[in-house]
Each structure stands twice: as C-alpha cells, then as structure tokens.
Amino acid sequence: MNTGKGALSGWLSRPVTWQAWVVLGAVLLAGVVRVGLRGPDGGMDNAIVVRAADAWLEGRSPYADRHFLYLPGAVLAALPQALLPSGLVRYLVPAGVTAGLAFGWACALRIHGVEWRSRFAVLGLLALALGFAPFGHLVELGNWTVASVAALPLALLLVQKGRWVAAGLVIGAAVAVKPLLAPVVLLFVFARRWRALGAAVLVPGAVSVGAALLMPDPAGFFTRTLPFLLRGDDRFVRLYEASPAAVLPRLGVPQGAASLLAVVAAAAGVWCAWRRWGSGGAGPLRVVETAVMLMLAAFLVSRPSYDHYLLVVVPLLLAGALVPGAVARGPWFWVALVPQVPGFSWPWLEPGTRRAFRDFVTLCVLALTVARSRVRAGGGVTAGKRSRARGGGVAGAGLQSRVLTRTGRRG
C-alpha cells in the first residue's frame, strides 16, 4: 500500500509497545465495568430487545412495545440473553459491544492495509474510546447498532478482496438483526454484483419470514413498527434524533419544509455516492467512501437517527488517515467531530435532550465533507472504466496499487 509515509505516518505504522496495549485494555475494561455496575440489564436499548424476546417466550407479540424497532430475527438473536441470569448479562452485554467496536475498527484498518499491531491501530481505538462521545453512549446503551458497526467494515474488507457474495452475506446477516445497513445494498447495484445483491436481500428476508411465522403477530413489523418509523411522532424519541427532519422543527422550521429538505439532502447523498463509485480510482477509498456516503444519506432522512449511528461511518473514515487523499486527512473531518468531544460544556446545550443539535452538526458537516470526495476523486466515469479494464474492479485496483508501490512508481 502506498501511504505516502512521512515522519509521523511512518512512526504511526510501527509496532506498538506492550504498555500501550495495557492502557488500551484498561480503558476498554473500565468502560465495561462502569456500565455493568450501573444497571442490571446491559443497557436501556438492549433491554428493549430482551423484553421482546421475553414477550415471545410468554406468547405475546414482541411488537407490542413500539420502541422495539428491529426485524423478527432480532427476537431469536436475543433469546440467549433472556435465558441468562441478569448478573451475567449486565457485564456480558457491554463487553460484547466493546468487542464488536474493536472488531469493526480492526477490519477498517485492514481495508487500508494498516497492521493491527501498529501504533495507529492502538492509538486510534483509544482516541475513539476517550475522545468520541458516541463510543461510550453505544457501550452504555447496549444498542444493537454494534452489529452494523462490526459488519460494514468486514463486508467492505471482503469487497476489497473481491469476495462480493461473502460481503453480501455479511450485510444480509446484519440487516436480519437490525435493518440499519439496508442502504449499503445500493453499493452492489452500483457495482452490478447481482449475486451479492441477492445474498444481501435473501438472507434477511428468509430469516425474517421464518422468525415471523413463529410469532403471534407475524406482520407486526409492518403494521406497528414501520408506521411508527415513518411518522416519527414519539415525543421522547424525537428529542434525541439528529436528522434534519427532527432537529430543524425544534429551531422553528415548519415540519413539511424540514422533511422536504431531509429528502433532498438524502437524494443528493445517494447521487454523490453513485458518482463517487463511477469516478473509480485505485485502492480502498472508492468503496469505503461510496458506502459511507450511502449510510450518511440514510441518516439524513431516517427516523430515528441517533448519535451512535455515527460509529458506523467514522471508524471507516478514520482508519484511512494514513492514505493520501483520504477524507480523514482534510480539516473538515476533524471539525465535524469537535461537537462529539466528551467533557466539553457547550453553552445552552447541556441538557441531554439538546445534544441532538450537536449530533445534527456533526452529521451534516460529515456528509458534506464526504460528498466533496466525488469532486476530489476527479477523472469521472471514464477513469473508473480504465481502472476496471486494467485491474478488474476493486480487487484488481488494489493489486495494481501494490504492484506500483513495489516498483517504486508514484501516481
């Protein structure tokens, strides 16, 4: 991989010392213990899914709770927790969430060819744990967004290796638990990988249908949950949503205008993702930035849209910081993350229900920053076609990049 190493990037690429591993382990373990001591259910959001599993075991509909926003497959996935003692669950859940976050970070690093044992790998995860508020929020809540945080980098790593169908299976398995990664299936459409698209669609479809048939309310997701998501009329939930359709009305913008703006922004995001894919380019930036743009477009319009959704995209962008031309090398990426620094008191934004304004700023600035990659990539569709013709798609582009690096050429 041609990282354009300077003094700093070369230092970050070297193996880390054992002391750094000890510090990282202590920080992550402290977060797990803190959450375990605070509550008996492994987090408020995790408790919602476990209650749904309990309801199913008792013969009731899991979708009677309108805050259960998952597909039927999540009910079956939560059954082990429903059967385990709470004393174990209270520590097992935050430990599992932390492990999922670390796994996603490790896969994101490997997409860009960064070693797991490097200083950048350890310091990057430490920075996310200590300097990015959504990291702690996700561990504390036990939200199942962690499945998407782990699955998307793994799927993109498989894409980078040319294993598209396997990537589709990973995305499909994640969607079967929580449909957060559904927008990523457009990546398979852009790349015309129809078998991968079929895997990404059929896996959650089969799991959902099979699980729904075991429930007293098989169509509950469509008759209760989906209308709730489309209306977004829960007053409690709305206070924590970061999408323009939720935040702008709190600033005095009419709801209709805010919703229209969110839809337009999401459509523009999908267009930028399509253009980014069409612009081609060697290396992993093309596939990462396309997938990230698709997810950001969805977050702009989805209801709900929470701060911990940012963990699906931020580690992927941060992991490319050693690659020339990456989004994380630009100043606006870091400007977007400033509102998420823990411990800083923002005037008039201290109450928890007002943090959505900070999340809104981060989401919008990050989406604009990634959208600029379409312009920065340059070359248009023609360059992408030339790259695919010479290297055979994403995997071929990565091989070509390695060959150029070994021969000492720079491009």
Side-chain angles (χ1 to χ4, degrees), residues 20-407:
W21 285 110
V22 171
V23 171
L24 177 62
V27 169
L28 297 180
L29 181 61
V32 171
V33 175
R34 176 178 59 85
V35 174
L37 293 175
R38 183 172 297 181
D41 50 16
M44 179 179 69
D45 291 356
N46 178 71
I48 294 174
V49 190
V50 176
R51 285 201 303 269
D54 286 331
W56 179 73
L57 290 174
E58 296 171 0
R60 297 180 287 110
S61 172
Y63 292 99
D65 183 355
R66 62 179 181 176
H67 290 134
F68 177 65
L69 307 178
Y70 303 83
L71 291 172
V75 177
L76 301 183
L79 285 179
Q81 285 191 61
L83 301 175
L84 289 174
S86 59
L88 178 60
V89 170
R90 66 191 302 173
Y91 293 102
L92 188 61
V93 171
V97 172
T98 302
L101 290 168
F103 176 80
W105 172 246
C107 290
L109 291 170
R110 294 308 302 153
I111 292 174
H112 298 282
V114 180
E115 292 294 334
W116 296 329
R117 297 175 295 176
S118 66
R119 289 168 175 161
F120 180 71
V122 173
L123 295 178
L125 185 56
L126 191 62
L128 287 171
L130 295 177
F132 191 56
F135 189 103
H137 295 165
L138 186 61
V139 176
E140 184 173 354
L141 293 171
N143 193 282
W144 285 34
T145 295
V146 67
S148 301
V149 176
L152 183 56
L154 175 59
L156 298 185
L157 178 61
L158 292 170
V159 166
Q160 186 65 16
K161 295 177 179 293
R163 301 173 60 185
W164 286 87
V165 175
L169 292 173
V170 170
I171 295 296
V175 171
V177 174
K178 183 173 183 176
L180 189 62
L181 293 185
V184 178
V185 300
L186 287 177
L187 174 64
F188 304 131
V189 177
F190 294 165
R192 298 182 180 181
R193 299 286 180 165
W194 308 121
R195 293 177 61 187
L197 176 63
V201 173
L202 291 177
V203 168
V207 172
S208 297
V209 170
L213 292 177
L214 300 175
M215 297 179 185
D217 185 11
F221 179 82
F222 296 99
T223 60
R224 301 190 185 190
T225 300
L226 195 57
F228 171 79
L229 290 173
L230 295 175
R231 289 194 306 266
D233 58 358
D234 188 289
R235 294 182 179 180
F236 174 77
V237 168
R238 190 185 304 135
L239 294 175
Y240 297 92
E241 291 184 9
S243 65
V247 172
L248 292 180
R250 297 175 65 183
L251 298 174
V253 179
Q255 182 64 64
S259 299
L260 178 61
L261 179 61
V263 171
V264 171
V270 173
W271 180 81
C272 287
W274 174 69
R275 291 291 295 172
R276 180 63 186 96
W277 179 260
S279 68
L285 293 183
R286 179 192 186 196
V287 65
V288 168
E289 291 176 356
T290 301
V292 165
M293 192 68 249
L294 287 172
M295 292 307 304
L296 288 172
F299 298 160
L300 287 170
V301 74
S302 65
R303 304 289 301 273
S305 184
Y306 300 127
D307 69 323
H308 51 76
Y309 288 4
L310 295 171
L311 281 164
V312 177
V313 296
V314 168
L316 278 168
L317 297 175
L318 180 61
L322 300 182
V323 181
V327 171
R329 286 204 167 193
W332 286 105
F333 172 77
W334 301 100
V335 170
L337 301 187
V338 169
Q340 304 301 326
V341 176
F344 183 81
S345 298
W346 295 89
W348 305 293
L349 295 179
E350 280 310 292
T353 55
R354 294 181 184 175
R355 72 158 292 114
F357 294 107
R358 288 186 276 167
D359 304 332
F360 168 76
V361 171
T362 297
L363 174 61
C364 292
V365 175
L366 201 59
L368 288 171
T369 301
V370 179
R372 288 182 66 249
S373 66
R374 179 187 67 84
V375 178
R376 187 193 66 241
V381 178
T382 303
K385 290 181 178 179
R386 287 198 301 267
S387 174
R388 289 192 294 273
R390 290 194 301 263
V394 173
L399 176 60
Q400 179 188 16
S401 176
R402 290 193 293 271
V403 171
L404 291 175
T405 301
R406 290 171 183 170
T407 57

